[in-house]
Amino acid sequence: MTDPIGIEIRNLYKIFGANPEAHVEAVRAGMTKAELQARHHHVLGLSDINISIAPGCIQVIMGLSGSGKSTLIRHINRLIEPTAGEILIEDRNVVEMAPEELREFRRHKTAMVFQKFGLLPHRTVLDNAAYGLEVQGMAEAERNRIAMRWIERVGLNGFEKSYPSQLSGGMQQRVGLARALVNDAPILLMDEAYSALDPLIRYDMQTVLLDLQQEVRKTIVFITHDLDEALRIGDRIALLRDGSVIQQGTAQDIVLRPADDYVANFVQHVDRGKVLKVGAVMQAQHGFDALPEAAIAAGASIAEALQQMAASRLQALRVQDAEGRAIGVIPFQAAINAYTGNAYTGNAHTESAGTVA
Amino acid sequence: MTWLTSFPQLKNAWLRDLQRIIDDAFRSFTRSYGDLIEGLFSPLQTLLIWFERLLLGTPWPIILLVVAGLAWGASRNLRVVIGSVVTLVLIGLFGMWDDTMKTISMVLAATLLSIAVGLPLGILMARSQRVQRIISPILDIMQTMPSFVYLIPVVMLLGIGRVPGLIAVVIYAIPPMIRLTNLGIRQVDPEVLEATDAFGSSAWQKLTKAQLPLALPTIMAGINQTIMMALAMVVIASMIGVQGLGQPVLRAINNQYFTMGLFNGFAIVGIAILFDRISQAWGKRLQKHHEARHD
Ligand SMILES: Nc1ncnc2c1ncn2[C@@H]1O[C@H](COP(=O)(O)OP(=O)(O)OP(=O)(O)O)[C@@H](O)[C@H]1O
Ligand SMILES: [Mg+2]
């Protein structure tokens, strides 16, 4: 198993059209997507994207349709050529790789799951799953053995001899997932991989992904429209609009401190009680004369905290870290405020506040 | 007012000179390079003779068995098998067996040659917009030019016989092969190609593992059309010495042997249907994974 590796996206621009280079400067100087479209008939795909994805972390990218999510993820393995900027992976700039080097990079460092599956219709499930290894030149018996393991892992035993057209959409997507996992690449790119699945299977596949992430830590870029999905699996979330990053940070940051109305709209229907963690809304211990007796873990949700306080009629709880040390206090009112989405009154957590773009 | 009713044409003398200059140039080209070109094409001669010997030398029951086997393998349909065998038996009973074998060997050789040349050309055309812009109009000309016209230079260069006949047939029959290979490859789902790219396929891997297999049903349709056109051209090519069912037809026209023409004509129709059914059934079976699609 390979060590996880990070992805560094710096000043990335993508302009679609006949002569994209000519307009980079104008976009750098602040021309908007609408202006570029109206005046020069070029489409602004991405504008000044800076995202740094830590090794072994799940980075979720969200945004409305047409905001540039697919364009962005396709830059990471250079299925789309950028107009300007760089993408650094293991100290190499993907943008400058020669064709041969790029091919090796795609074979060994990245694997991708597509929204519309992208399966080879003339190949069986097994041959589809083994495709990545086949391209690498691995012998048939060996690659089939590995592919079978992952086909079983995504719950498709017995279907390995079927053709994609004989499977339901959800099953085809699992083939896509198996095909990507078979490669055992350190970077996994998932473009709305679960959008075509029904809610139950989707939850199931999220669990598969999270379980896998416990076993084999990969760096995962995950695109979704679904906020609940983003909050469940994302270590960090970036929100795109018109090709620009509007906000990035942890799920807590984005729910608690939306950068603008666009983001606020995105998060307004989320179940805050479940999503928000005690650790993100607690207050510093100084300023309290005596710490409360009853304690709660920083990783617990505020719904749990409220339940505990209501059950024992307490006004506040002591917040503990994993080792049982007291790290803060959560008053009943602060928990209620966070739960209902009233103006956040606690003293902002410096670590997370600093990451708001 | 005669200049209005008769089109003002170039002087007759000029036209005659122009024609003579081109003809002379071509003739001297033929004189100096004819042997060389004939040498280049001599492997075709070997191929053709080998094919003809094979088909004529094999005992007829074996040919019937092989055709039945091919029909079954391609279609898995008993009616196609019986139809093919009955067609050949009738042809044999009416005394046209040898001519039919000659025609079939010519058509098979022309088809193989068309595939060997047309497939790479079609692939090139699919890969490059510029190649497509160059080849497309040439194919248009090849398909609309009356076939008798390009018999002339072929005969001037190579004389009369099997090889010039084969070349004439291939020129006539190759365009659908090229066109449909190009079309088939261009029609492959870009999402599938993107996926093969994402896993690091080389251009060759992409071609052999995705583009060609997915284009195969369309390519098969091209092969089918090529066979049909080769068969049609074989009759015309009999004018420059191609043996087979075309020759009796030609003789029948010259001597007004109505029944003889009719029999040979029906034999051609018979093997056309036979080829068509077998190659189409095969193409359909290649396509079965696509047809099961329900989304
Ligand atoms: N090849 C292209 N040529 C021109 N414009 C393009 C091209 N590809 C994408 N675009 C434009 O770039 C923008 C972003 O497209 P993209 O597909 O990345 O959106 P998305 O966020 O993935 O949307 P969705 O959620 O619908 O998949 C859109 O305005 C789109 O029209
Ligand atoms: Mg998209």
Side-chain angles (χ1 to χ4, degrees), chain A residues 74 77 79 103 106-107 110 112 114 116 118-123 131-132 134-135 163 165 167 179-180 183, chain B residues 191-192 194-203 205-206 208-210 213-214 288-290 292-295:
Chain A
R74 275 165 178 69
N77 56 357
L79 288 176
R103 208 151 50 227
R106 285 172 177 169
R107 284 180 187 177
T110 66
M112 192 160 184
F114 295 87
K116 291 179 196 146
L119 299 176
L120 294 157
H122 62 293
R123 290 181 155 225
Y131 185 78
E134 182 181 334
V135 165
Y163 287 89
S165 57
L167 305 179
R179 175 174 67 178
N183 260 28
Chain B
E191 311 240 351
V192 172
E194 190 175 45
T196 59
D197 275 338
F199 283 91
S201 313
S202 64
Q205 286 171 329
K206 202 156 91 172
T208 54
K209 293 178 197 293
L214 290 173
K288 68 172 191 280
H289 306 310
H290 299 254
R293 263 212 136 87
H294 32 247
D295 52 6

Side-chain angles (χ1 to χ4, degrees), chain A residues 16 33 43 64-71 192 225:
Chain A
F16 293 104
K33 180 168 178 163
V43 178
L64 297 179
S65 203
S67 57
K69 306 182 296 294
S70 299
T71 308
E192 300 199 32
H225 270 124

Side-chain angles (χ1 to χ4, degrees), chain B residues 79-98:
Chain B
R79 277 177 47 200
V80 176
V81 177
I82 294 172
S84 309
V85 172
V86 168
T87 307
L88 283 182
V89 166
L90 283 177
I91 285 173
L93 284 178
F94 280 80
M96 298 176 290
W97 183 267
D98 282 5

Side-chain angles (χ1 to χ4, degrees), chain B residues 92-125:
Chain B
L93 284 178
F94 280 80
M96 298 176 290
W97 183 267
D98 282 5
D99 279 342
T100 301
M101 288 305 121
K102 285 178 189 162
T103 293
I104 291 181
S105 70
M106 187 72 181
V107 169
L108 285 182
T111 306
L112 281 183
L113 194 58
S114 298
I115 295 174
V117 176
L119 195 68
L121 277 179
I123 293 170
L124 277 182
M125 207 168 153

Side-chain angles (χ1 to χ4, degrees), chain A residues 256-334:
Chain A
L256 282 174
R257 290 174 286 273
D260 62 10
D261 289 348
Y262 179 81
V263 183
N265 260 331
F266 248 99
V267 298
Q268 66 179 345
H269 296 301
V270 69
D271 183 348
R272 302 168 65 92
K274 273 202 202 129
V275 170
L276 293 176
K277 300 283 179 270
V278 168
V281 287
M282 69 182 181
Q283 299 176 0
Q285 337 182 4
H286 50 258
F288 288 88
D289 304 334
L291 289 180
E293 274 304 304
I296 191 163
S301 69
I302 57 171
E304 287 167 317
L306 283 168
Q307 228 166 25
Q308 196 178 333
M309 285 189 269
S312 333
R313 297 172 187 284
L314 298 171
Q315 281 309 307
L317 291 173
R318 183 155 49 92
V319 182
Q320 293 179 338
D321 64 9
E323 278 84 45
R325 281 189 304 258
I327 52 171
V329 172
I330 179 158
F332 188 76
Q333 195 56 45

